[in-house]
Amino acid sequence: MCGIVGYIGKKSALPILMEGLKRMEYRGYDSAGIALISNGKLIIRKQKGKVADLENKLLDGEPLPEAHIGMGHTRWATHGEPNDINAHPHIDCRNEIAVVHNGIIENYLALKTKLLQRGHHFVSTTDTEIVAHLIEEIYKSTPNLFEAVRLAMKQVTGTYGLVVLSSHEPDKIVVARMGSPLILGIGEGENIVAADAAAIIEHTRQVVYLGDGEVAELTADNVTIKTLNDVKITKVVDELTFDLEQIEKGGFPHFMLKEIHEQSESIENALRGRLLEEEGNVRLGGLDNVVEKIEHAPRLIFAACGTSWHAALIGEYMLEQYAQIPVEVEYASEFRYRNPILKKDDVVVLISQSGETADTLAALREAKAKGATVIGICNVVGSSIARESDGGVYIHAGPEIGVASTKAFTSQLTVLALLTILLARRKGMTREQGLELVHELKLLPEKVKAILSDTKQIEYIAGEFKEMKNFLYLGRGYNFPVALEGALKLKEISYIHAEGYPAAEMKHGPIALIDEKMPVVCIAPFDRTYDKIMSNIQEVKARRGRVIAIVNDGEKNIGQLADYLISVPPTLDLFSPILSVIPLQLLAYYIAVARGANVDQPRNLAKSVTVE
Ligand code: AGP
């Protein structure tokens, strides 16, 4: 979950490293550090706190000597609390070898014991420091950094995106990958490595995605890649498709608000080139080689985490209603360990914005190991889940920087709707029915624009409820998972306790929580559960609960009951979550801002959970 970057070339390395770290700070932000090699000497500067704090420390201190090779790290602690010593880079006994790492070294204690017996001295409580000493130990007999790193990583179990520097070999960077993302940026007379393309895009669009079990040596003019088993390999050079502007705030105070306001466009991008308007059908090229398998699968199993898991729940409703395919939805973290019964005809669908979430990646590998076909629905192009899937669909939401997922969620739902139409049309849905769905899908971006055109009512309501300690979110049918998502958004950025529930579940317990201090958000569009949710609102009002209702334009009845109304344009039931979730994203955002929370980098969280 950390951000790592490395640079070698003719330019001054430090500014490139600092800029790269700032762009990746959403990955982890409890401490930061850099390492440079200048005049054959390794220079380390690191400390607890944000990249900006490190930058100020560097500016206040002795100017650092010019260097054309270096690496940097922004941390999300897993082993060893965030402090100056546990910050990366970590070094060997003689300050000649330095490493930065993203991931978890699982057998670090066993390795540490061996190295302690060989006289190594450790200063931190991290797992990563072991790697620097392990390389140091091997370098004694194998004085070649590329080789020493390869041999060292053969002894390591766990996950890593690793960058290594050595003052012995000041003209190269060595990197290794297992499980955590690592991208090589191929430049003219310079090369750059990072955990995220955000730190590379400014320098080059030519990238190589390092695979698991691969080690690479980067010099200013060359990149050599080998497997851990010493087999030299040649990799495809890919082109980055997004641009720098997309990862800037575009005049908004926070990335989250910018990304909420990008949803009309991001939904359009998810639909682009995929609607067959004449035939009332859709085309998803990434599934061409597996669509038969999906169509005839005895069941689809979705596995995901967090917001992506909520999207999977809505996908289940869509696919079972329209394509009549049995769907099961699994928490990836449970699925990977519970020895699921999978048959070779089963199809497992992994949903992940980052494409790097460790639990979801492991669920993919578990399913593959059991012979199932695996499909990925991802946002990050070239991510591990995308590359390891048998087929898949990119959601094309563009870079999502805000830790709280927003536009990726509505684009995931859009792609699930496309998948539903694709399979339903293959399983007997008529052209007319298909035309109706395709036509309505095309209208969604405009309806989203209408919601985003005036958010004053939501800002006002947020002001009214910013001091609340608890929230309940209620929904039915397609909007039950939206209630879960609304509650998650509020929890993760405002730190207010919130729960989402199927509205009918209230009577089975949660209704006991209702009084004038409990705000209840009810999602009540004109769908087939409308009358039912209306009576749930009456139950809440009967206990003096304060109701914020998400309704459709033209709503007449609920206005008599609810304390506050937020209306969105009506649409077909299966598409209503794409519209009803947006006011919930905004409500969470404005409440968090009113409470002074750091919306883009909420405490204890990070954008891509690459450790389990
Ligand atoms: C959502 O706002 C959170 N950032 C988190 O729950 C996220 O959805 C989860 O970690 C899954 O991430 P993924 O979609 O990248 O796999």
Side-chain angles (χ1 to χ4, degrees), residues 450-470:
I451 298 169
L452 294 169
S453 62
D454 177 1
T455 63
K456 279 191 286 314
Q457 165 72 344
I458 301 170
E459 288 172 63
Y460 169 70
I461 295 170
E464 293 293 294
F465 287 88
K466 67 176 187 300
E467 300 309 334
M468 288 293 139
K469 300 263 178 300
N470 300 285

Side-chain angles (χ1 to χ4, degrees), residues 13 60 89 110 151 166 210 244 259 266 363 481 489 514 523 526 553 584:
D60 300 350
L151 295 169
S166 168
L210 215 58
L244 191 55
E259 288 152 8
S266 54
K489 289 284 95 76
I514 305 290
I523 305 146
F526 291 138
D553 301 347
L584 304 187

Side-chain angles (χ1 to χ4, degrees), residues 317 472-477 480 483-484 499-514 532-533 535-536 539-540:
Y317 281 75
L472 260 183
Y473 288 73
L474 304 178
R476 280 178 173 261
F480 152 52
L484 296 175
E499 286 188 75
Y501 266 94
E505 268 303 293
M506 281 264 290
K507 294 186 279 303
H508 308 289
I511 199 162
L513 296 169
I514 305 290
K532 304 294 179 204
I533 194 109
S535 50
N536 295 127
E539 287 161 8
V540 171

Side-chain angles (χ1 to χ4, degrees), residues 1 256 303-310 351-361 377-380 385 400 402-406 408-409 412 485 488-489 492-493 602 605-610:
M1 227 138 38
M256 183 180 177
C305 305
T307 288
S308 297
W309 185 77
H310 295 151
I351 304 182
S352 175
Q353 185 284 128
S354 61
E356 301 292 353
T357 300
D359 286 323
T360 310
L361 186 55
I377 296 180
C378 296
N379 188 34
V380 176
I385 290 173
E400 187 174 68
V403 168
S405 186
T406 53
F409 181 63
Q412 286 166 342
E485 177 59 11
L488 176 62
K489 289 284 95 76
E492 65 179 319
I493 61 171
L605 288 178
K607 182 64 184 169
S608 176
V609 184
T610 51

Side-chain angles (χ1 to χ4, degrees), residues 135 139 143-150 164-166 169 172 174:
I135 297 167
Y139 200 84
N144 171 302
L145 191 63
F146 197 5
E147 261 314 272
V149 172
R150 184 180 69 76
V164 184
L165 291 185
S166 168
E169 301 177 34
K172 63 182 60 127
V174 174

